[in-house]
Amino acid sequence: ARKSNSSTISGEDAFNLHTQEGFLIELTETMAARHNLQVDKNQFENLMKVHVLTSGKGNFADSVMSEGPLDALRKTSGATEFLGYETLDSSAEVIGIITNDQLIEELVEIGHAQAVGLVCDKTPFYAESGGQVGDTGTITTSDTEFKVSDTQKHGDLFIHIGHLTKGKLKIGLEVQMNVKTEQRQAIRRAHSATHLLHHALRETLGEGATQRGSKVEGDAFRFDFAHGSSLSKEEILLIEDKINQCIADGNDISTNVMELKDAKKLGAMALFGEKYPDKVRVVQMGDYSIEFCGGTHLSNTGQVGFCKVVGEEPVAKGVRRISAMTGPKALQKFREAESILSDLAILLKTPLPEDLSKKVSALQDELKFAKKTLSDQSSKSVSGTVDELISNAPELDGVKIIAYSPENASREILRDFADQLRKKVKSVAIILGAEIDGKVAFLSAVSKDLVKRDIKASDCIRVAAKVAGGGGGGRPDLAEAGGKFPEKISEALKAGEEFFKEKLV
C-alpha cells in the first residue's frame, strides 16, 4: 500500500490473507491501524459473501445436517443407494430438500445465500468419509441446475450440499447427477497414494508405523501415522522413492467386498480404532498392500503419475504427519521449485543451479566479513564521537546528561554508544534515538549509581517513545523502544533529557 501511495489495504488482499493464509481480518485491521492504514471492509465483506455462496459450506452443519429433518426423511424414504464405485453419472429422484433446519417441498430461490441439502434415492457422489473429501459436481434437468460443492453422509443418507443456479427443484423430480470427473480422478490419485505411503512407511520405519488418520483431497493428502520421532531427510527420500517405485511398477489395484473374517485371513490392515461391519471392502495393490477401505481408487498404481512428499511434522505424542501431492499438483510443485532455482541462479550469477549452495556459502562468508569490518569501523567512529559528546554534555548534580541522534545508525551502534559512554563517565544518563529503515529506535541507559537513586532508563524511554508515537521498556539500567514518527526524534530526545533533569533537581 505504501509503495503505491495508498492509505488503504485492498479488500481483495485482506480476503486472500483471511481465506488462504488463515490470517484473520481482525488481525489485518489491527496491524493496518498501527501503520495509519485502513482496510477496504466493504470489498472484503462482498468477497466473503461470494465465498460462502461458492464454497457451499456456510453454516451447513447447522441448517442442512440437522438430526430432525434427516431422521424424518429416513423413515419416509429410506436410504440412498450409492453408485459411485461403478459410475460418475446417473439418473435419480429427489426425495428430500433441506434448508434452515427443515424439509421443504420445493426450492425456487436462485442464488440463495444459505446452502441447501439435496437428498436423492441414489447417487454417484461419494460422501466425505474415511478421510476422503466429498465429491463435487452438478444435479440437473433440461431447465434446472444445482451446483454441488460438497457431499456429506448422515447414516445411510447422502446429502448433496450446494446452491440452485437455474430453474427449480421439487420432491419427486427426476434429475441427472454428474460428478466432476477431474476432481474425482484427482481424489482417486491421492487416495491410492496414501496406501502406497502406508506401505513405504512400514517398510522403512517398521511394522509399528501404522495409520492413525488421513485427509484426502484432489491430488493432495496428509497421512498421520504412529512413530515416536521426526523423520530424517534420508528416511523421507527413501519413503518417497519407494512410493514412486510402486507407481513406476504399474501394479493392478483391485477392490473386493468380502466377509470380515476372510479379509482378516487375507491379511488386510484395519484403521486403528475403527469398527467394521460383517462385510467389508478390501483394496489390494500388487502383492504388498491389502487394506480395509471404503474410498475411491484407481485401477493401476501407475495412474498416480508422481508423488512428492512436501512436509513432515508432529501432530500428537507418538504421532507424525506426512503431507504429499500427486499427479499435476506434484508436477507443479516440482516446477515451482525448479523455477525458483533457475531465478536464483540468474540473480546470483551462477550458470549451474547445482553450484548454488557453494555460491551462497561464499556470499555468507563475504557478508560475515563485511559485517565485522563495518562493526569495527562503526566502533572507531563511535569512539571518536563519544569524547566529543562527553565534553559538550550538560552536567547536573555531578551527572552528565547526553541526548543524541547519530546518523546512519543501527541498533548495534546505539548500544555501542551507550556502552562506551558508561565506561568513560562515572555518572551518566543517556537517551539516544535514530531512524532505522523508516522506523524510530530509542535507547536509554544510566550508570549504576543512578539506578540506586531510583533514576531508571526504563522510565525515561517510555517518556521519549511516547512523543514519537511508540513505546517500549527494559531494565532500570538499559532500555529500548520504538516509534512511528521519525520527524519527532529531536522532540522525543528533548523530552527524555528533561525527564533526567527533573529527576536530578
Side-chain angles (χ1 to χ4, degrees):
R2 281 178 169 167
K3 286 180 180 178
S4 60
N5 295 318
S6 173
S7 61
T8 304
I9 303 293
S10 74
E12 184 177 0
D13 285 338
F15 171 78
N16 289 335
L17 284 169
H18 185 89
T19 57
Q20 297 178 21
E21 308 297 338
F23 202 80
L24 300 180
I25 180 63
E26 291 81 7
L27 291 175
T28 303
E29 288 182 307
T30 299
M31 293 190 71
R34 289 180 188 170
H35 297 276
N36 297 320
L37 298 170
Q38 292 181 324
V39 176
D40 188 340
K41 198 69 179 291
N42 287 335
Q43 185 187 28
F44 170 82
E45 289 177 348
N46 288 335
L47 288 169
M48 283 300 295
K49 287 177 183 177
V50 174
H51 176 65
V52 170
L53 282 171
T54 55
S55 70
K57 294 191 178 183
N59 298 322
F60 77 78
D62 295 327
S63 63
V64 175
M65 301 293 288
S66 300
E67 291 275 351
L70 290 169
D71 286 342
L73 187 59
R74 186 177 292 105
K75 289 175 183 177
T76 58
S77 302
T80 302
E81 181 187 357
F82 179 57
L83 310 173
Y85 292 137
E86 296 81 27
T87 183
L88 294 183
D89 54 77
S90 71
S91 59
E93 179 186 338
V94 176
I95 60 173
I97 304 171
I98 307 170
T99 182
N100 295 321
D101 299 320
Q102 58 185 327
L103 287 165
I104 60 174
E105 289 293 317
E106 188 175 62
L107 178 67
V108 295
E109 182 186 356
I110 305 297
H112 44 90
Q114 184 68 49
V116 168
L118 196 63
V119 183
C120 297
D121 62 340
K122 49 184 176 288
T123 182
F125 284 77
Y126 182 89
E128 181 173 338
S129 60
Q132 180 175 320
V133 298
D135 280 334
T136 62
T138 58
I139 298 175
T140 61
T141 69
S142 58
D143 56 3
T144 301
E145 181 183 66
F146 182 85
K147 286 192 174 180
V148 179
S149 52
D150 189 24
T151 308
Q152 295 287 319
K153 187 161 61 171
H154 187 278
D156 48 11
L157 288 176
F158 285 61
I159 300 92
H160 309 86
I161 299 164
H163 293 81
L164 183 65
T165 57
K166 186 174 71 171
K168 64 181 180 180
L169 288 169
K170 61 182 179 180
I171 301 300
L173 184 67
E174 286 290 326
V175 293
Q176 181 65 32
M177 311 189 78
N178 299 96
V179 175
K180 189 175 181 181
T181 306
E182 300 85 357
Q183 180 68 1
R184 169 69 83 85
Q185 189 67 1
I187 291 171
R188 292 171 71 200
R189 284 192 292 266
H191 202 152
S192 295
T194 65
H195 289 227
L196 300 180
L197 170 62
H198 198 186
H199 160 68
L201 283 168
R202 288 162 59 79
E203 270 209 342
T204 305
L205 306 177
E207 294 296 309
T210 53
Q211 183 176 355
R212 289 292 182 268
S214 65
K215 178 67 178 292
V216 179
E217 302 174 292
D219 277 324
F221 66 91
R222 62 176 191 243
F223 187 90
D224 299 345
F225 60 99
H227 195 60
S229 60
S230 61
L231 273 59
S232 66
K233 182 180 178 182
E234 290 72 24
E235 286 174 326
I236 292 174
L237 290 175
L238 181 58
I239 289 164
E240 193 175 78
D241 285 344
K242 288 180 181 295
I243 296 170
N244 284 293
Q245 184 59 56
C246 291
I247 294 170
D249 288 344
N251 304 118
D252 287 337
I253 299 175
S254 62
T255 56
N256 295 287
V257 177
M258 61 181 70
E259 295 291 333
L260 180 60
K261 56 182 177 58
D262 294 332
K264 287 182 177 179
K265 287 180 183 177
L266 190 63
M269 289 186 62
L271 185 62
F272 176 79
E274 196 79 4
K275 291 183 179 180
Y276 292 92
D278 292 335
K279 284 205 168 188
V280 292
R281 189 166 181 266
V282 176
V283 177
Q284 181 168 356
M285 300 183 183
D287 58 0
Y288 47 80
S289 174
I290 308 174
E291 296 191 29
F292 295 102
C293 186
T296 60
H297 288 278
L298 304 164
S299 58
N300 186 286
T301 59
Q303 294 169 334
V304 176
F306 176 57
C307 182
K308 175 67 180 171
V309 174
V310 296
E312 190 270 343
E313 60 185 338
V315 290
K317 186 176 181 179
V319 180
R320 309 291 300 180
R321 171 175 293 169
I322 279 182
S323 299
M325 294 179 177
T326 57
K329 274 190 181 178
L331 182 59
Q332 182 61 30
K333 189 74 176 177
F334 179 80
R335 286 175 174 170
E336 285 173 1
E338 192 177 50
S339 177
I340 291 171
L341 284 174
S342 179
D343 290 344
L344 285 173
I346 293 171
L347 287 170
L348 298 177
K349 297 180 173 61
T350 307
L352 300 175
E354 51 265 37
D355 292 334
L356 276 172
S357 58
K358 293 180 182 178
K359 182 69 173 182
V360 171
S361 181
L363 287 172
Q364 285 178 324
D365 290 339
E366 287 180 27
L367 181 60
K368 187 176 180 180
F369 178 77
K371 281 185 175 180
K372 187 179 184 307
T373 302
L374 181 61
S375 178
D376 292 343
Q377 292 175 346
S378 297
S379 187
K380 290 178 183 178
S381 174
V382 168
S383 182
T385 307
V386 161
D387 293 334
E388 185 179 344
L389 287 173
I390 295 171
S391 176
N392 296 330
E395 187 173 324
L396 191 60
D397 195 21
V399 179
K400 289 281 189 179
I401 301 174
I402 296 174
Y404 180 59
S405 177
E407 293 183 2
N408 302 317
S410 63
R411 288 189 178 274
E412 288 74 21
I413 288 176
L414 294 183
R415 294 186 193 111
D416 197 7
F417 264 112
D419 290 342
Q420 292 199 36
L421 284 166
R422 286 190 293 178
K423 284 179 182 177
K424 291 192 174 187
V425 184
K426 183 179 179 181
S427 189
V428 63
I430 307 159
I431 178 67
L432 306 170
E435 181 179 351
I436 303 173
D437 297 328
K439 299 177 182 178
V440 182
F442 291 109
L443 184 145
S444 180
V446 297
S447 49
K448 291 182 179 179
D449 63 309
L450 295 186
V451 175
K452 293 178 181 178
R453 293 168 61 179
D454 200 33
I455 301 174
K456 300 175 182 177
S458 53
D459 291 336
C460 176
I461 204 80
R462 279 190 283 271
V463 172
K466 187 176 180 181
V467 175
R475 305 193 309 268
D477 64 322
L478 181 68
E480 295 183 88
K484 297 179 182 178
F485 311 119
E487 67 274 13
K488 293 193 175 183
I489 290 177
S490 296
E491 186 182 340
L493 294 179
K494 187 67 177 175
E497 183 179 1
E498 290 301 319
F499 169 83
F500 283 133
K501 287 180 178 178
E502 288 175 10
K503 284 286 187 178
L504 290 167
V505 171

